[in-house]
Every structure is written in structure tokens, then in C-alpha cells.
């Protein structure tokens, strides 16, 4: 199964980073209709054809998403959206 992996360093601290991930998740939920829920410091998400997680620590954020072969044609669009939201919430 194809996957997306994105790693970022940040200086927000854990509480602010989790709030930022909530904003990222909200944008992705609205655009791609995914369900998401927190498990400690990891936001797990899924919808038909996509599942993954966004893990956050005091200085690091990591996105991992598995994408079904049926959604492979829009993989780059999904990846671009994730980058866009991460750039906005965590800086370039």
C-alpha cells in the first residue's frame, strides 16, 4: 500500500503543537471527509481508502498515511494539502 510520510521539527511545545494538529486535522477532515480521534499524543484518522496518524511531541510532528491503490491518482493532492496545513500551523 502506498504511503505518505512527513516529518517536521517545531518549537511550539506539546500543548500548542496539539492545538496546531487539531487545526491541521480539521482542514483535512473538511476536505477529505476523514474521521479522527486522539490517542494520547497521536491523532489517528481514517476514511475509506486512507488511514494513518499524526504524532506530536514538544518539538516534532510526524504524519504517516496509508493510501489505497484506488486513491493513488490523488496521492499528490493529499500530500500537498497536508504540507499546506503543516506550513500554516507549524511554519515553513
Amino acid at each position: 500500500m502506498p504511503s505518505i510520510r512527513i516529518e517536521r521539527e517545531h518549537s511550539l511545545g506539546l500543548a500548542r503543537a496539539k492545538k496546531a494538529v487539531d487545526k491541521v486535522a480539521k482542514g483535512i477532515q473538511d476536505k477529505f471527509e476523514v474521521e479522527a480521534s486522539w490517542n494520547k499524543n497521536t491523532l489517528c484518522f481514517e476514511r475509506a481508502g486512507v488511514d494513518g496518524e499524526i504524532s506530536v511531541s514538544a518539538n516534532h510532528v510526524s504524519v504517516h498515511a496509508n493510501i489505497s491503490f484506488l486513491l493513488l491518482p490523488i496521492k499528490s493532492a493529499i500530500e500537498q494539502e497536508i504540507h499546506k496545513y503543516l506550513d500554516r500551523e507549524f511554519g515553513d
Side-chain angles (χ1 to χ4, degrees):
M1 182 176 278
S3 66
I4 295 171
R5 287 192 184 273
I6 301 169
E7 308 264 336
R8 295 271 179 102
E9 297 293 322
H10 66 81
S11 59
L12 298 179
L14 183 58
R16 286 181 53 210
K18 283 181 84 168
K19 286 181 184 178
V21 168
D22 276 333
K23 289 180 184 177
V24 171
K26 175 73 173 130
I28 294 169
Q29 284 173 317
D30 292 346
K31 182 122 183 161
F32 295 105
E33 299 177 0
V34 300
E35 297 294 321
S37 62
W38 282 99
N39 180 10
K40 297 184 182 180
N41 294 333
T42 300
L43 184 80
C44 302
F45 60 88
E46 68 179 314
R47 67 156 271 181
V50 178
D51 66 77
E53 60 189 33
I54 304 173
S55 298
V56 64
S57 71
N59 60 2
H60 187 260
V61 63
S62 173
V63 179
H64 177 241
N66 296 308
I67 303 196
S68 75
F69 287 104
L70 293 175
L71 294 179
L72 196 54
I74 65 166
K75 177 184 177 203
S76 65
I78 295 168
E79 200 165 16
Q80 287 175 3
E81 284 298 310
I82 295 169
H83 277 290
K84 180 176 93 175
Y85 288 110
L86 289 174
D87 288 347
R88 185 171 62 216
E89 298 305 324
F90 290 92
D92 296 335

